Amino acid sequence: MHTHNLTNYNKAFIIGIILNVIYILVEVFYGLLINSMALLADAGHNFSDVLGLLLAWGAAYLAKTAANEKRTYGFRKATILAALFNAILLMIAVGAISIEAIRKLILPEPVQGATMMVVAGIGVIINAVTAFLFMKGRNSDLNIKGAFMHMAADAGVSFGVVIAGLVIIYTNWLWIDPTISLIIVLVITIGTWGLLKDSFHLTMDAVPKEINLKEVGDYLKSLEGVKEVHDLHIWAMSTTETALTAHLVIPEETKDDYFLKKICGELHSKFGIEHSTIQIEKSAQSANCEMNKV
């Protein structure tokens, strides 16, 4: 984990959490006051956002802790688990919103469109600003992407509530309130699916999607003197660090530390792999340490 990145995002987490807690209280108050399902649904989604931000922030902090005798990689994996839990929280929030929206479709209730628009408009600004704070890191850190997805999705929810309020003012169509909620649910679900899938794969130690295992293998095979590459494994240590282990069969030559250092440097520059462990062998069988269970 790159600790300077975490330090840069501490302020983003603090600002995002404070703004969203204040806005949740405002939404719940006015949602109950004007009987708006969309506002209450948005408040519920905002609450899941706050939990998600706390989870992501806590994981980022844990990832900085030093390794010890029991945890030789420290708590780096916590960032991946936080991303997975963030996606699950989003899906739970989506389910809760859907159930209440369907109930409102069956039993429509009066709603004050103007108040909806004002309160939700504030939410668009707050969530868009918070999402912007995480925008830069969303492509390089799955944990930050989870925080960004939460806030961007909630900005969309709030914007949908603004549209619902506007339509209700001019048409008095009460079904618009829950219908907009269901449309937003669909959008959030589509956006969250990728985060859920990516974080689950990393939890299972799959090869990160931005790395091509075959290309890495071909690079190692192209090295001078290498006759074979086996036991090549690539997995995510955290949402920003990738690890690799590989056995290189070099029958004739004796390689020095510079050779290994060069490989590690090129694996980092070419593929973004930060932590490489290379084992050199005379033959594929001579140093095979993998024990097969009968």
Side-chain angles (χ1 to χ4, degrees):
M1 175 63 69
H2 304 296
T3 55
H4 60 279
N5 286 341
L6 293 180
T7 301
N8 291 342
Y9 286 108
N10 279 340
K11 186 179 293 185
F13 281 119
I14 293 171
I15 293 172
I17 290 169
I18 292 174
L19 287 177
N20 276 271
V21 167
I22 294 172
Y23 184 57
I24 287 170
L25 297 175
V26 172
E27 278 195 307
V28 170
F29 176 79
Y30 281 101
L32 293 173
L33 184 67
I34 68 173
N35 197 32
S36 170
M37 167 56 212
L39 282 181
L40 291 175
D42 195 19
H45 185 64
N46 258 300
F47 181 68
S48 75
D49 286 345
V50 171
L51 292 179
L53 288 174
L54 287 169
L55 194 62
W57 193 15
Y61 174 78
L62 286 175
K64 294 189 295 182
T65 58
N68 56 42
E69 291 181 359
K70 290 186 177 294
R71 300 180 181 87
T72 56
Y73 281 138
F75 283 95
R76 288 179 172 90
K77 206 77 166 184
T79 57
I80 298 174
L81 292 175
L84 177 62
F85 290 149
N86 259 330
I88 292 173
L89 276 173
L90 275 167
M91 288 299 190
I92 292 172
V94 158
I97 293 171
S98 298
I99 292 171
E100 188 60 21
I102 292 171
R103 188 186 72 80
K104 287 279 189 176
L105 274 174
I106 297 171
L107 299 170
E109 298 177 3
V111 179
Q112 296 179 24
T115 305
M116 279 178 63
M117 288 183 64
V118 173
V119 176
I122 296 171
V124 173
I125 296 171
I126 288 176
N127 290 300
V129 168
T130 309
F132 178 78
L133 296 174
F134 295 104
M135 181 179 291
K136 187 176 180 180
R138 74 188 190 282
N139 293 324
S140 59
D141 187 337
L142 196 63
N143 196 36
I144 298 300
K145 180 181 179 180
F148 172 80
M149 284 292 298
H150 266 281
M151 306 320 302
D154 217 47
V157 172
S158 297
F159 183 73
V161 177
V162 171
I163 299 301
L166 181 64
V167 174
I168 289 172
I169 288 173
Y170 285 100
T171 65
N172 201 32
W173 293 344
L174 299 182
W175 55 268
I176 288 294
D177 183 29
T179 300
I180 289 291
S181 297
L182 289 174
I183 293 173
I184 293 167
V185 158
L186 179 61
V187 174
I188 294 172
T189 302
I190 293 172
T192 303
W193 179 250
L195 176 64
L196 180 63
K197 183 174 66 173
D198 291 345
S199 56
F200 176 76
H201 282 323
L202 293 186
T203 302
M204 300 304 293
D205 287 336
V207 178
K209 68 176 183 178
E210 66 272 10
I211 296 177
N212 187 308
L213 182 69
K214 184 179 183 304
E215 289 181 1
V216 176
D218 289 343
Y219 159 73
L220 293 173
K221 290 175 185 176
S222 71
L223 295 170
E224 182 182 358
V226 175
K227 300 302 180 184
E228 183 183 336
V229 176
H230 64 96
D231 287 331
L232 173 59
H233 301 285
I234 303 174
W235 72 99
M237 297 168 61
S238 71
T239 52
T240 58
E241 279 187 296
T242 302
L244 171 149
T245 59
H247 293 206
L248 308 184
V249 178
I250 307 177
E252 300 174 359
E253 297 185 50
T254 301
K255 299 296 184 180
D256 56 16
D257 290 345
Y258 175 77
F259 176 73
L260 293 175
K261 186 176 181 179
K262 179 184 176 184
I263 295 174
C264 292
E266 291 188 347
L267 285 171
H268 181 263
S269 62
K270 291 176 182 290
F271 306 103
I273 298 172
E274 289 84 1
H275 189 94
S276 300
T277 303
I278 307 295
Q279 179 170 313
I280 296 177
E281 307 166 351
K282 291 293 183 181
S283 70
Q285 290 76 34
S286 63
N288 188 353
C289 299
E290 187 171 343
M291 301 293 104
N292 294 320
K293 294 182 179 180
V294 179

